[in-house]
Amino acid sequence: MEKVEHKTMRVNGINMHIAEMGQGPIVLFLHGFPELWYSWRHQMLFMAAHGYRVVAPDLRGFGDTTGAPKGDFTKFTTLHVVGDLVELLNIIAPDRKVFLVGHDWGAVMAWALCLYRPDKIKALVNMSVPYNPRNPIIRPIVAMRAIYGDEYYIIRFQEPGEIEAEFAQTGTKTVLEKMLTIRDPEPLKMPKGKPFDDSPVILPPWLTEEDVDYYATKYEHTGFTGGLNYYRALDLNWELTAPWTGAKIEVPVKFIVGDLDLTYNLVGVKDYINKGGFKKNVPLLEDVVILKGVAHFLQQEKPDEVNEHIHVFFQSFSSSETSAS
């Protein structure tokens, strides 16, 4: 990773940290929670070695990228974050489309970027979170509470400061170890006052002590509020995105998810992905890959498979451009 270059760029009123390497067509990688640009370390090395310029920012409020003052969650909507990304692309890829890769909250923001500014994106590989079109009938937090209850992790994340205090009691490193090693496909519950059980964490082969220490060092400095604000803005996103009700994603897409991913096992998601609903909302969906025995953090758990899926998909667009020229 010593070949990775680190820069801070002023975009959309914030200071955005980006990690980049390589030369060639640009691939923009968007991470999730509780993660950082570092989650894409394996993909960055692979894609850079295969002739791409890879760019992985810390998203607004994460790592070395600044967020809103005093943790104002209203500044963490999809419109704010996509605004950051559009300005970044205007700087690094003016008048050019880029390849896009997202996971978890990065997948949500990748869908939003393709929805708001499809002119910026050549093709998308998205992971874990399928495109979830706006439901005009019910707010997302009301729906989640009704289906999964008050201990569901997204519900527990809603009250500013509450889960942060519980995480502080648990310890930053332990929180990260617990969350990054989740393999239970059932809805994630965090009982009040005791978000995690007392069982010791045994790190899997794909997540080293050094990896956890990198995340922990950054989260010790920033706290978790920046990432939690994305969850707290869910209902505000719902309010602001009414103009896009019924809109489709008009960008070529490949979607990858692990069959043990808790997102894949939520109510109705398997049928939505596999029985035509997903394709209806994403007409240019070209492929859905279900990785067997793989959980949520698939790009870290199975880097070789994920790298190959990304490369083959994007190569088809690069090859067609080469043929056309």
Side-chain angles (χ1 to χ4, degrees):
M1 299 306 290
E2 64 275 0
K3 294 180 180 177
V4 175
E5 292 183 51
H6 295 271
K7 297 177 183 175
T8 299
M9 308 182 77
R10 187 71 179 170
V11 299
N12 199 24
I14 66 170
N15 295 319
M16 175 173 275
H17 164 251
I18 67 167
E20 66 174 334
M21 64 189 306
Q23 297 294 326
I26 292 175
V27 183
L28 180 66
F29 289 95
L30 307 180
H31 69 80
F33 177 85
E35 300 175 89
L36 302 163
W37 73 270
Y38 186 78
S39 300
W40 299 111
R41 58 197 178 278
H42 306 297
Q43 288 70 44
M44 292 178 71
L45 290 168
F46 181 88
M47 293 300 286
H50 286 79
Y52 292 85
R53 178 185 175 191
V54 294
V55 179
D58 285 336
L59 294 179
R60 172 180 287 238
F62 284 93
D64 294 321
T65 295
T66 58
K70 298 181 182 176
D72 180 1
F73 73 85
T74 67
K75 305 298 185 187
F76 287 80
T77 69
T78 57
L79 293 168
H80 287 90
V81 178
V82 170
D84 302 340
L85 298 171
V86 167
E87 195 158 335
L88 173 64
L89 292 177
N90 286 343
I91 296 169
I92 65 172
D95 306 317
R96 277 184 295 152
K97 292 186 176 186
V98 304
F99 293 114
L100 182 62
V101 183
H103 170 255
D104 189 80
W105 268 109
V108 175
M109 295 306 164
W111 293 126
L113 177 53
C114 291
L115 186 64
Y116 306 153
R117 294 299 302 272
D119 58 301
K120 293 286 185 184
I121 306 303
K122 192 179 301 181
L124 165 66
V125 173
N126 236 0
M127 303 180 205
S128 290
V129 182
Y131 177 56
N132 188 22
R134 181 181 184 275
N135 181 344
I137 307 301
I138 189 168
R139 290 171 177 266
I141 297 303
V142 172
M144 289 179 199
R145 182 176 274 115
I147 297 170
Y148 302 113
D150 289 336
E151 291 187 348
Y152 186 53
Y153 76 107
I154 292 177
I155 305 302
R156 293 279 286 113
F157 287 175
Q158 292 303 302
E159 183 61 37
E162 185 176 283
I163 199 71
E164 287 95 327
E166 295 180 22
F167 282 179
Q169 284 190 323
T170 303
T172 299
K173 187 172 181 180
T174 301
V175 169
L176 290 163
E177 288 176 337
K178 288 284 189 180
M179 294 196 73
L180 291 169
T181 57
I182 289 170
R183 298 194 71 76
D184 185 351
E186 294 302 308
L188 177 60
K189 302 293 182 75
M190 291 188 172
K192 196 164 187 175
K194 193 177 177 60
F196 303 103
D197 62 32
D198 295 323
S199 61
V201 176
I202 299 172
L203 295 182
W206 55 266
L207 187 68
T208 68
E209 200 76 37
E210 183 182 17
D211 296 333
V212 176
D213 285 342
Y214 183 85
Y215 289 117
T217 298
K218 297 299 182 182
Y219 277 95
E220 285 281 6
H221 178 68
T222 63
F224 289 97
T225 299
L228 294 168
N229 281 339
Y230 287 65
Y231 298 91
R232 291 166 185 161
L234 277 166
D235 274 355
L236 182 54
N237 284 331
W238 181 85
E239 293 178 19
L240 295 174
T241 57
W244 288 275
T245 301
K248 301 181 188 300
I249 300 293
E250 302 287 356
V251 167
V253 174
K254 182 176 200 172
F255 183 74
I256 312 173
V257 66
D259 67 346
L260 298 180
D261 194 324
L262 46 83
T263 61
Y264 185 59
N265 289 276
L266 292 174
V267 173
V269 170
K270 288 181 183 177
D271 282 351
Y272 172 67
I273 289 175
N274 297 310
K275 294 186 177 180
F278 191 21
K279 175 72 172 177
K280 182 179 178 182
N281 292 314
V282 186
L284 301 181
L285 179 66
E286 297 192 13
D287 195 12
V288 171
V289 178
I290 313 295
L291 298 179
K292 302 297 182 185
V294 179
H296 184 63
F297 299 97
L298 66 172
Q299 82 273 41
Q300 299 179 75
E301 182 178 346
K302 292 291 182 182
D304 293 345
E305 290 179 48
V306 169
N307 290 348
E308 194 62 30
H309 281 300
I310 294 171
H311 182 235
V312 168
F313 189 56
F314 289 164
Q315 194 176 37
S316 65
F317 295 92
S318 301
S319 300
S320 62
E321 283 187 5
T322 304
S323 301
S325 59

